[in-house]
């Protein structure tokens, strides 16, 4: 198969790029290695049908691209719940429930989960242009374009756009001729945002902590969850939910899913009382074990948010055939949803 533009990666950046190319009448194909679209966006449904985000949870005012896209796709959003006190647990296990602070006050969440964005983009694209279960194994420069070896067959394109973490591209794709050392170093040294993290969500019949004057926010110096937040939908009569980021290292989490889920539930009882003892559902996602998200180099999280920037290609061969995209290449909002859309815009300009 031949195409003008081959998009490699079906997360938000790749799908948003495909959506804009489709609106412009451009010829493209999009391939995704997973059996689903969304990349690090993953929303799971509870027994009542509410969807909860196991990947990114928020976006913020001052991020116009995601707000405009939600409006364009007719998807609602709401403000993160922040009324009430925060639960704080110190290193000795002492607990305070009298701190009037909300760490994510003012942040926005997507109604019915961020998967709604992915679903809406996929629905608006010709299905003949989208392929799942197609991983790019190698890219070879040919004539004035590139030949991409896939899980099933191959594809030729005038330009290939890598809409996936740069580090993952360096680890999983063989380039012929090889990328120059400077470009390879930039790909390998760019950390994949949130790739080392794990997230736990407990679902309840209702957000009972609100009746206790608590916001659902929590900070713990014991763990296993170190940061917690209310994850309830904006129709709280339907479900209540709390999620937490794990403070246990990726190495220590390996093979410990059941034990971690049990430990997280016990921690919720400690922080929020006996009503937390019997969640009607739980979800757990360890992104460090997702081979299509993280590499071995991503086992440890950066100590602070990395300063991401574009990764230009100066090589005479590859600069006319290859574009490096994805949220880790966005200089203003790298790592965020807004950064994924920013990277897509940058790719459009290069195309």
């Amino acid at each position: 198969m031949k195409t003008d533009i081959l998009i490699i990666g079906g997360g938000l950046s790749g799908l948003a790029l495909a959506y804009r190319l489709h609106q412009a009448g451009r010829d493209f194909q999009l391939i995704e290695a997973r059996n689903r679209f969304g990349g690090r966006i993953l929303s799971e449904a509870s027994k009542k049908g509410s969807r909860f985000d196991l990947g990114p949870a928020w976006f913020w005012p001052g991020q116009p691209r995601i707000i405009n896209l939600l409006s364009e796709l007719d998807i609602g959003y709401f403000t993160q719940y922040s009324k009430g006190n925060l639960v704080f647990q110190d290193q000795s296990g002492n607990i305070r429930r009298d701190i009037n602070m909300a760490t994510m006050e003012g942040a926005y969440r997507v109604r019915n989960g961020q998967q709604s964005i992915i679903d809406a983009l996929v629905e608006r694209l010709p299905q003949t242009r989208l392929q799942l279960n197609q991983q790019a194994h190698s890219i070879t420069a040919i004539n004035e374009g590139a030949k991409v070896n896939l899980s099933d067959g191959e594809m030729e394109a005038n330009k290939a756009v890598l809409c996936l973490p740069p580090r993952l591209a360096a680890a999983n794709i063989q380039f012929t001729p090889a990328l120059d050392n400077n470009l390879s170093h930039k790909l390998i040294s760019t950390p994949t945002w949130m790739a080392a993290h794990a997230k736990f969500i407990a679902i309840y019949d209702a957000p009972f902590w609100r009746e206790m004057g608590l916001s659902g926010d929590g900070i713990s110096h014991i763990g296993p969850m170190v940061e917690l937040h209310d994850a309830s939908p904006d129709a709280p009569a339907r479900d209540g939910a709390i999620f937490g980021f794990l403070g246990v290292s990726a190495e220590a989490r390996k093979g410990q899913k059941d034990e971690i889920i049990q430990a997280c539930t016990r921690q919720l009882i400690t922080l929020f009382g006996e009503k937390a003892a019997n969640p009607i559902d739980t979800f757990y996602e360890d992104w460090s074990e997702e081979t299509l998200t993280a590499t071995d180099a991503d086992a440890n999280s950066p100590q602070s948010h990395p300063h991401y920037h574009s990764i230009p290609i100066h090589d005479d061969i590859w600069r006319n055939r290859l574009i490096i995209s994805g949220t880790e290449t966005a200089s203003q909002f790298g790592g965020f949803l807004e950064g994924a859309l920013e990277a897509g815009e940058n790719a459009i300009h290069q195309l």
Side-chain angles (χ1 to χ4, degrees):
M1 179 183 289
K2 292 185 178 180
T3 187
D4 182 21
I5 302 162
L6 176 60
I7 303 169
I8 301 174
L12 177 58
S13 183
L15 287 170
L17 173 59
Y19 179 53
R20 297 306 180 199
L21 290 175
H22 179 57
Q23 289 178 315
R26 298 290 297 273
D27 177 47
F28 70 90
Q29 287 285 321
L30 182 149
I31 61 169
E32 165 56 45
R34 290 180 169 91
N35 62 2
R36 64 172 182 85
F37 293 108
R40 280 166 279 178
I41 291 178
L42 175 63
S43 306
E44 294 286 2
S46 70
K47 293 179 175 65
K48 293 183 180 181
S50 302
R51 291 202 295 191
F52 298 92
D53 292 317
L54 285 160
W58 303 289
F59 63 100
W60 288 266
Q63 296 183 342
R65 296 174 183 86
I66 185 64
I67 292 174
N68 291 338
L69 181 63
L70 290 172
S71 176
E72 186 175 347
L73 300 177
D74 195 26
I75 296 173
Y77 60 93
F78 60 100
T79 304
Q80 169 70 32
Y81 188 81
S82 59
K83 296 179 182 178
N85 292 338
L86 174 147
V87 179
F88 178 82
Q89 184 180 39
D90 66 21
Q91 293 177 337
S92 300
N94 300 311
I95 295 175
R96 291 182 57 184
R97 298 185 178 90
D98 60 348
I99 302 173
N100 188 10
M101 179 181 74
T103 56
M104 286 297 162
E105 184 175 5
Y108 295 137
R109 291 174 48 210
V110 177
R111 183 167 293 134
N112 205 28
Q114 295 191 10
Q115 194 72 37
S116 300
I117 308 172
I118 301 303
D119 294 344
L121 289 170
V122 170
E123 288 172 2
R124 285 163 171 77
L125 291 169
Q127 299 307 294
T128 55
R129 302 281 185 94
L130 307 175
Q131 297 185 47
L132 292 171
N133 302 303
Q134 284 282 34
Q135 184 169 0
H137 297 291
S138 67
I139 303 178
T140 303
I142 58 167
N143 303 321
E144 294 183 355
K147 180 174 69 176
V148 183
N149 180 262
L150 306 171
S151 301
D152 181 17
E154 62 183 32
M155 191 176 298
E156 293 184 12
N158 293 324
K159 290 186 183 293
V161 186
L162 300 180
C163 292
L164 67 165
R167 185 175 276 171
L168 198 68
N172 291 352
I173 300 176
Q174 178 181 346
F175 295 88
T176 304
L179 303 179
D180 66 62
N181 291 335
N182 184 50
L183 178 56
S184 293
H185 174 74
K186 287 182 179 179
L187 296 179
I188 294 169
S189 62
T190 300
T192 304
W193 185 237
M194 300 301 285
H197 283 261
K199 193 172 182 180
F200 172 80
I201 305 177
I203 316 297
Y204 300 93
D205 284 322
F208 62 85
W209 49 92
R210 298 182 183 180
E211 299 175 359
M212 303 163 58
L214 302 175
S215 65
D217 271 16
I219 296 173
S220 172
H221 288 277
I222 293 181
M225 294 180 285
V226 294
E227 178 186 340
L228 301 92
H229 301 279
D230 187 310
S232 307
D234 58 340
R238 190 173 188 183
D239 273 315
I242 289 180
F243 86 82
F245 293 111
L246 274 290
V248 182
S249 71
E251 181 64 30
R253 295 195 306 259
K254 285 185 178 179
Q256 301 296 311
K257 178 178 179 179
D258 292 341
E259 291 80 0
I260 288 174
I261 290 174
Q262 293 171 14
C264 287
T265 303
R266 290 194 299 269
Q267 183 184 11
L268 289 174
I269 298 170
T270 299
L271 297 178
F272 295 97
E274 286 299 323
K275 287 186 177 181
N278 298 300
I280 59 176
D281 213 344
T282 60
F283 298 112
Y284 175 71
E285 179 68 26
D286 188 341
W287 290 99
S288 71
E289 294 188 2
E290 287 279 333
T291 58
L292 295 174
T293 294
T295 69
D296 290 343
D298 292 306
N300 297 312
S301 299
Q303 294 300 309
S304 60
H305 196 100
H307 177 64
Y308 290 115
H309 50 79
S310 63
I311 303 179
I313 298 175
H314 301 294
D315 184 281
D316 288 339
I317 295 176
W318 287 111
R319 68 181 176 183
N320 294 318
R321 295 175 169 87
L322 191 66
I323 294 173
I324 311 295
S325 190
T327 188
E328 281 84 10
T329 68
S331 59
Q332 187 177 10
F333 292 103
F336 299 110
L337 301 177
E338 184 77 1
L341 300 179
E342 180 187 346
E345 283 186 4
N346 293 339
I348 287 283
H349 293 318
Q350 292 181 66
L351 290 167

